[in-house]
Amino acid sequence: MTRRIHFGSAIAVLLTLALLGPAFHAPAVAAEGAKLVPLEIKLPRPLFQGTPKHIKPAPTLEKYIEKPRPPFMAPEGTANLALNKKVTSSDTAPIIGELEFVTDGVNDGYDGCFVELGPDLQWVQIDLGQMSEIVALVVWHYHAEGRVYHDVVIQVADDPDLIDNVKTVFNNDFDNSAGLGVGKNLEYIEDFRGKLIDARNDKGESVKGRYVRLYSRGNTANDLNHYIEVAVYGKPAS
């Protein structure tokens, strides 16, 4: 099994959240009553600067903002539950890399740091090993250059076949081409920060489940699907 190499140390440790804006005022206590603290996420080296000029603005595309994201407040003790957990996929024989790359804790954007899946709609699935309370995810598909991945859908369920208690925490499929329903989220440009997704509901409650499945359907550079790293932040369910 080929292991990927960690190139250099991260040049920044940023505190992040899913909402972009000049400020974020989070409550001091979560819906479950836990104290909230800034979530610390180690970021890799940026490999490009500025908005990619080949990607044109669109009503379905989130405006690219280069400045650091404000803090994402999470319950004290929140950790990356996906680290080194088992990963399965709709593509059982990746073109490049290994499925274990998705959860090995390395989020660099260099060659040898990603798994490449076949064209069209594909998914990777992480078994967290137990029922968990999830507050956020950070997803790095590919950030050696600016790209937009299509039909990004993230679902959480109690079982590996996604039958019991399925919950969609992110969906930017604006035309239902993936067949999982029309999403309300926007497409976005990949960069070194990854996509930070708040998994909590409108009441601030975490989403509960054991299995996390992430779909995508090609990107603006080619029809293939890539994953560098997926972090799932939360705690084991009480």
Side-chain angles (χ1 to χ4, degrees), residues 138-150:
V138 184
V139 181
W140 290 267
H141 282 107
Y142 185 91
H143 61 85
E145 64 179 9
R147 294 181 178 179
V148 176
Y149 282 78
H150 306 303

Side-chain angles (χ1 to χ4, degrees), residues 94-118:
I95 300 169
I96 296 174
E98 308 290 344
L99 291 175
E100 65 188 35
F101 290 178
V102 178
T103 59
D104 69 355
V106 180
N107 55 13
D108 286 321
Y110 301 98
D111 288 346
C113 293
F114 61 85
V115 60
E116 182 176 79
L117 308 180

Side-chain angles (χ1 to χ4, degrees), residues 6-224:
H6 184 51
F7 292 84
S9 59
I11 62 170
V13 176
L14 299 181
L15 303 174
T16 59
L17 99 143
L19 298 176
L20 294 170
F24 174 67
H25 303 284
V29 180
E32 293 85 354
K35 177 184 176 182
L36 294 180
V37 297
L39 181 64
E40 186 175 302
I41 302 170
K42 292 184 179 180
L43 299 180
R45 182 187 302 273
L47 299 181
F48 70 89
Q49 294 182 334
T51 303
K53 293 182 171 52
H54 65 284
I55 299 177
K56 303 302 181 183
T60 56
L61 180 64
E62 182 178 271
K63 182 179 179 181
Y64 185 72
I65 299 177
E66 291 188 78
K67 65 181 180 181
R69 294 174 296 219
F72 181 88
M73 307 303 289
E76 195 169 28
T78 295
N80 179 12
L81 304 175
L83 185 63
N84 296 321
K85 292 300 194 300
K86 181 180 179 181
V87 180
T88 54
S89 175
S90 55
D91 187 346
T92 57
I95 300 169
I96 296 174
E98 308 290 344
L99 291 175
E100 65 188 35
F101 290 178
V102 178
T103 59
D104 69 355
V106 180
N107 55 13
D108 286 321
Y110 301 98
D111 288 346
C113 293
F114 61 85
V115 60
E116 182 176 79
L117 308 180
D120 301 320
L121 186 67
Q122 302 284 354
W123 53 261
V124 296
Q125 181 167 292
I126 302 168
D127 179 1
L128 299 178
Q130 60 185 320
M131 289 294 294
S132 304
E133 297 177 351
I134 301 166
V135 297
L137 300 92
V138 184
V139 181
W140 290 267
H141 282 107
Y142 185 91
H143 61 85
E145 64 179 9
R147 294 181 178 179
V148 176
Y149 282 78
H150 306 303
D151 296 355
V152 176
V153 181
I154 303 176
Q155 295 182 325
V156 176
D158 296 351
D159 67 296
D161 297 320
L162 271 71
I163 296 174
D164 298 328
N165 199 23
V166 181
K167 296 164 288 287
T168 299
V169 299
F170 186 87
N171 184 346
N172 67 12
D173 179 6
F174 58 85
D175 59 3
N176 196 28
S177 54
L180 298 169
V182 175
K184 297 181 180 179
N185 301 106
L186 295 175
E187 292 189 315
Y188 58 92
I189 297 174
E190 296 274 340
D191 71 4
F192 75 104
R193 293 171 294 182
K195 178 61 176 178
L196 177 56
I197 296 164
D198 191 339
R200 298 170 295 193
N201 63 20
D202 293 339
K203 297 180 181 179
E205 299 168 333
S206 57
V207 60
K208 293 184 179 180
R210 172 173 172 171
Y211 297 89
V212 180
R213 183 178 290 189
L214 303 97
Y215 297 85
S216 62
R217 190 186 185 92
N219 63 85
T220 49
N222 53 61
D223 293 333
L224 302 177

